[in-house]
Amino acid sequence: MNLNANLSQLHRSYFNSNTLSLTLPKHHIPVLPRSRFFSLKTSGFPVRFDSIYRFGSSRNFVTKCVSEKFSGSFDQDADQNYVTESNQVPKQEGSLVNILKQSNSLLPHVVLASTLLALVYPPSFTWFTSRYYAPALGFLMFAVGVNSSEKDFLEAFKRPAAIFAGYVGQFVVKPILGYIFGLLSVAVFGLPTPIGAGIMLVSCVSGAQLSNYATFLTDPPLAPLSIVMTSLSTATAVFITPMLSLLLIGKRLPVDVKGMVSSILQIVVAPIAAGLLLNRFFPRICKAIRPFLPPLSVLVTACCVGAPLSINIESVMSPFGVTILLLIIAFHLSAFVAGYVLTGFVFPEAHDVKALQRTLSFETGMQSSLLALALANRFFQDPLVSVPPAISTVIMSLMGFALVMLWAKKKE
C-alpha cells in the first residue's frame, strides 16, 4: 500500500470528529523520510514535517497531520503569525538603519536644493568658510575607505585595460579639454587670467567619488571597477595633479608643488588609508558607524556645494559669471561625451560595452572639484581662481545625476 492510500485509510478509520482523538496501531504508522522540505501535496494533507522534530514522535506527527486536515488554515495561520511576530522586532530595529543607509538616494535632490538656497539666500552657507573644505573632503574620503575593502578590487583588477582607459580619461583627455577651455576663456571671451587658471586646475584633479555612486545607480555590477578607477586616480593625484598644474598654469600663477603634495596626502591619502585600516582590523566599529556615514556625507556634500556659491555669489552673478557658467558646462559636457565615445572605439567587442561606456563617461566627466577648490583657496592668492571650481562643484553634480536619470529611463 502506497503512502497516499495509507494516510487516506488512517483518516477514514481512526478520526473521531467529536473528540478529535486518534488511536493508531503501530503497524499503520507510515515511515516517512526525515526531511523538513518533504511535501505531501497529492494526499490532500497540509503537512509540516518540522512538527516531527518539534513534538518528538511519529504518533504526534500523524495526529497533527490528521487534525490539520480539518482545522485547515488555523494551524497554518498560527504558525505564520508565530514567524511574523518573532521577526517583527528585528525588522523594526533594522528599518532605521536601512533608512540611514539609503539616504544617499536623496543626494541629487539635496544638491539641487542647496544650490537654489545658496542663490536665493547666500547667508545660509556663508558660515561654511574655506577652512572647512579640507576637513569636509577628508571626511568624504574616510567614508569611502570605510566602505571599501581589498575584495572590492580583486574582481575589478581583472580588467586592467578598462582601468587604464579610465586613467587616461582622467589625466590625459580631461586636462587637454581643460587647457583648451582655459585658453578660450582668456583669448576668446576676454576673461581674467585667473579664471582660465581655475578651469585648468579643475581638469588636473582626480576623479570624484560621486562617479562611483552614479555608476552604482546605473550599472551596479561595474561599481567596483569605478571605485578602482577613482581610487587609483586619487592615490596618484599626489604626484600627477601638481605636475599637471605646473605644466598647464605654472607660467601664469605660482604653484607650490610641495605644498600641494602635502595637502593631498592629508586630505585624500591619509583618510582613505585610515578607513581601510579601520575596516580591516576593527570591523565591528565600522559596522556600527557605517549606517551614519551616508546621511552625514549627504549633509557635508550639501555644505560643500552651497558654500562656494554663497561665498563667491558676487563673482558668479557678475557680468562674466554667465560666461564662466557656460564654459564650465561646455567643459563637463565635452568630458562626458569624450569618455563615452572613446570607450566605444576602444572596447567595441566588450560584452558590456554600453555599461562600460557609461562608467568611463562618469569617470571622465566628474572630478573632485572640491579638491580643486581647496587647492585654489590655499595656494592661489587671487580669489578668482576659486570661481570655476566653485561652479564646477555644482554643475558636475547636476549633470552627472541628470545622466543617471536619463540612462536609467532608457534601460527601463
Side-chain angles (χ1 to χ4, degrees):
M1 184 180 294
N2 59 27
L3 183 59
N4 293 338
N6 198 354
L7 290 176
S8 299
Q9 181 181 0
L10 291 175
H11 165 59
R12 290 193 301 269
S13 302
Y14 299 103
F15 181 74
N16 188 327
S17 61
N18 295 325
T19 61
L20 294 177
S21 63
L22 185 64
T23 305
L24 296 175
K26 294 182 178 179
H27 66 276
H28 282 290
I29 298 177
V31 178
L32 301 174
R34 295 177 60 86
S35 173
R36 293 176 180 266
F37 304 100
F38 186 76
S39 177
L40 296 178
K41 294 182 180 179
T42 57
S43 66
F45 290 85
V47 178
R48 294 180 63 87
F49 282 120
D50 56 348
S51 59
I52 295 179
Y53 305 99
R54 189 179 302 170
F55 293 97
S57 69
S58 59
R59 181 179 295 275
N60 288 332
F61 162 71
V62 177
T63 303
K64 185 172 179 66
C65 291
V66 179
S67 62
E68 283 188 352
K69 172 68 177 178
F70 291 90
S71 61
S73 61
F74 176 79
D75 291 336
Q76 185 176 1
D77 293 341
D79 203 16
Q80 289 177 354
N81 290 336
Y82 169 77
V83 175
T84 303
E85 292 175 0
S86 63
N87 293 335
Q88 186 173 4
V89 175
K91 287 183 179 179
Q92 290 178 351
E93 291 177 354
S95 61
L96 178 60
V97 175
N98 292 333
I99 292 174
L100 292 176
K101 289 182 178 179
Q102 295 175 2
S103 59
N104 274 338
S105 61
L106 300 175
L107 188 58
H109 309 285
V110 172
V111 169
L112 180 59
S114 60
T115 302
L116 296 177
L117 183 60
L119 293 174
V120 174
Y121 187 66
S124 58
F125 290 103
T126 51
W127 60 271
F128 197 84
T129 58
S130 58
R131 64 177 180 175
Y132 296 116
Y133 294 161
L137 186 59
F139 173 78
L140 295 178
M141 296 296 134
F142 173 76
V144 172
V146 169
N147 287 280
S148 303
S149 66
E150 61 275 8
K151 295 181 180 179
D152 298 329
F153 301 94
L154 294 178
E155 196 67 27
F157 275 119
K158 296 180 180 179
R159 307 183 71 170
I163 296 175
F164 180 74
Y167 194 82
V168 170
Q170 281 286 344
F171 288 130
V172 177
V173 176
K174 190 177 61 179
I176 292 176
L177 293 174
Y179 185 75
I180 293 173
F181 282 99
L183 290 179
L184 290 175
S185 65
V186 177
V188 177
F189 296 96
L191 297 177
T193 300
I195 297 296
I199 296 175
M200 296 179 188
L201 182 62
V202 170
S203 68
C204 295
V205 295
S206 58
Q209 304 303 327
L210 289 179
S211 64
N212 307 149
Y213 184 59
T215 301
F216 174 76
L217 293 177
T218 53
D219 303 284
L222 292 184
L225 180 64
S226 177
I227 293 174
V228 170
M229 292 178 182
T230 307
S231 301
L232 181 62
S233 66
T234 300
T236 56
V238 175
F239 308 102
I240 302 298
T241 297
M243 287 192 299
L244 287 175
S245 300
L246 182 61
L247 177 65
L248 298 183
I249 60 180
K251 295 181 179 180
R252 292 175 174 80
L253 292 174
V255 178
D256 185 0
V257 177
K258 293 183 179 180
M260 291 181 67
V261 170
S262 176
S263 180
I264 293 176
L265 284 172
Q266 296 174 13
I267 295 175
V268 178
V269 177
I272 289 180
L276 289 173
L277 292 175
L278 189 67
N279 191 21
R280 178 67 177 86
F281 296 103
F282 302 96
R284 292 185 178 180
I285 297 178
C286 285
K287 185 178 180 180
I289 67 174
R290 193 173 285 120
F292 300 96
L293 293 179
L296 291 176
S297 298
V298 170
L299 179 62
V300 170
T301 303
C303 293
C304 292
V305 170
L309 284 180
S310 299
I311 296 174
N312 299 279
I313 190 66
E314 294 182 358
S315 299
V316 173
M317 303 302 293
S318 63
F320 55 82
V322 177
T323 305
I324 299 175
L325 177 64
L326 294 177
L327 285 170
I328 293 297
I329 292 176
F331 164 70
H332 285 289
L333 181 61
S334 61
F336 280 118
V337 173
Y340 189 88
V341 173
L342 292 177
T343 303
F345 283 123
V346 177
F347 303 99
E349 299 180 357
H351 66 280
D352 55 350
V353 60
K354 292 297 181 181
L356 190 60
Q357 283 182 284
R358 290 188 288 265
T359 300
L360 289 176
S361 177
F362 287 131
E363 289 299 317
T364 307
M366 303 179 73
Q367 59 280 327
S368 184
S369 300
L370 288 176
L371 177 59
L373 184 61
L375 296 175
N377 288 325
R378 184 167 182 178
F379 298 105
F380 296 92
Q381 298 178 354
D382 197 319
L384 290 179
V385 179
S386 63
V387 175
I391 298 178
S392 174
T393 302
V394 181
I395 297 302
M396 174 202 66
S397 303
L398 293 178
M399 294 182 68
F401 287 110
L403 287 176
V404 168
M405 292 185 289
L406 176 63
W407 282 331
K409 288 182 179 180
K410 285 187 175 181
K411 290 179 66 177
E412 293 176 359

